[in-house]
Amino acid sequence: MSNLSPQSNPSLLHYTDSGKGTPVVLLHGFFGSSAYWDEVVPLLHPHVRCIVPDLRGHGRSLAPEGSYRIEQMADDIITLLDHLELDQAVVLGHSMGGYIALALAEQHSDRLQAWGLIHSTAHEDTPEAKEKRLQAVSKINSEGVATFVDGFVEGLFAPASVDQFPQAIQKAREIGYNTPPQGGCGAALAMRERPDRRQVLSSSTLPILLVAGEHDQLIPADRLFTAEGTNITIATIPAVGHMSLLEAPEKLAEIITSFVQKL
């Protein structure tokens, strides 16, 4: 298990590196951290090597001031792969992490063995969503991270999960509370400015995994399953929302393991 600080890691990203086998980079979502994957990683260990970073502005990674770009966050992952001396890896991104995976597939496809979107989409933000990003930045700046997180986290889960998994809800809250305010704002602006990348999804010849939650209130299946082909594996996890990592980690791990073993 590696657990390096930004000071000793030239990629500036804090990350964990554990397990053996095919290297799989797991990217978390907005106001998350590598800890989003805590329940999934031990289930993957018998089969794959898990590299799980805190993305720029999140967790224990550096959080520069100003707006970020999704392409910049993708370059961070390439720097991490270089640091680990990995020519290629499987990259699977949850939510915002999926936007980064799409940028990697567009700009650095030679570094990917395969890639995937977990509760994510290749669509750009709608005008309404772009406005909500600005509202998020305003709320973080005026009311603080904790108030924003308290109004944000429950909507990530299926309605039934809110009562069924109170510990998972609280874990997601506590991870969010530790997000630096400038990191949350920078990432919100990065997501707001990202382009439509449906063409990347439909034209990539690499193996692709697409995972949806049956009751995802943020990314419904019709915004995720926008391409099909013999290289694309599609899975819907029943009864979960946007957070299968915490709502159904065993099922998500099973889907990921099956996908990687077929490569």
Side-chain angles (χ1 to χ4, degrees):
M1 173 75 76
S2 295
N3 208 2
L4 303 183
S5 69
Q7 287 71 31
S8 60
N9 171 11
S11 75
L12 308 181
L13 297 184
H14 176 277
Y15 67 94
T16 62
D17 183 356
S18 58
K20 294 182 179 179
T22 301
V24 178
V25 181
L26 301 170
L27 307 179
H28 64 78
F30 182 53
F31 264 82
S33 77
S34 55
Y36 264 14
W37 295 95
D38 281 354
E39 310 302 319
V40 178
V41 166
L43 302 172
L44 296 177
H45 275 165
H47 314 286
V48 305
R49 174 183 174 184
C50 296
I51 299 158
V52 195
D54 291 340
L55 298 171
R56 174 185 292 251
H58 293 72
R60 286 185 276 178
S61 289
L62 295 188
E65 297 281 353
S67 60
Y68 306 161
R69 292 181 299 108
I70 291 296
E71 297 78 12
Q72 184 183 40
M73 298 170 86
D75 288 344
D76 290 342
I77 303 304
I78 294 299
T79 304
L80 178 58
L81 293 180
D82 290 345
H83 173 63
L84 294 171
E85 299 182 348
L86 288 171
D87 291 333
Q88 287 191 322
V90 178
V91 176
L92 303 176
H94 166 246
S95 196
M96 180 181 72
Y99 308 151
I100 297 168
L102 280 156
L104 287 166
E106 181 177 58
Q107 299 179 350
H108 303 283
S109 62
D110 60 314
R111 304 299 298 273
L112 302 182
Q113 184 180 354
W115 59 283
L117 309 179
I118 298 171
H119 310 304
S120 191
T121 179
H123 283 270
E124 65 182 328
D125 271 357
T126 63
E128 295 78 13
K130 286 177 184 280
E131 179 59 30
K132 285 184 178 179
R133 303 291 189 199
L134 296 180
Q135 291 170 4
V137 171
S138 176
K139 187 163 189 172
I140 293 163
N141 285 328
S142 64
E143 301 181 39
V145 163
T147 299
F148 173 78
V149 168
D150 286 340
F152 170 71
V153 162
E154 285 193 7
L156 300 176
F157 292 79
S161 296
V162 175
D163 294 326
Q164 192 175 356
F165 303 118
Q167 290 179 318
I169 302 280
Q170 186 58 29
K171 175 166 184 160
R173 279 199 191 100
E174 289 175 2
I175 291 169
Y177 293 155
N178 287 318
T179 304
Q182 73 273 21
C185 291
L189 295 172
M191 292 188 292
R192 184 179 189 271
E193 298 304 322
R194 76 184 191 281
D196 188 299
R197 285 195 164 100
R198 280 176 287 174
Q199 178 63 27
V200 177
L201 182 57
S202 60
S203 64
S204 176
T205 57
L206 293 169
I208 299 170
L209 175 64
L210 303 177
V211 180
E214 182 185 14
H215 300 307
D216 192 331
Q217 301 174 78
L218 275 69
I219 310 289
D222 63 355
R223 285 183 65 81
L224 172 56
F225 301 153
T226 58
E228 56 184 27
T230 56
N231 62 316
I232 298 178
T233 299
I234 288 175
T236 299
I237 302 180
V240 306
H242 195 66
M243 294 290 284
S244 64
L245 307 78
L246 295 173
E247 293 171 281
E250 296 87 357
K251 183 61 179 174
L252 181 59
E254 179 185 309
I255 290 167
I256 292 172
T257 298
S258 174
F259 174 71
V260 174
Q261 287 180 333
K262 290 175 183 174
L263 297 177

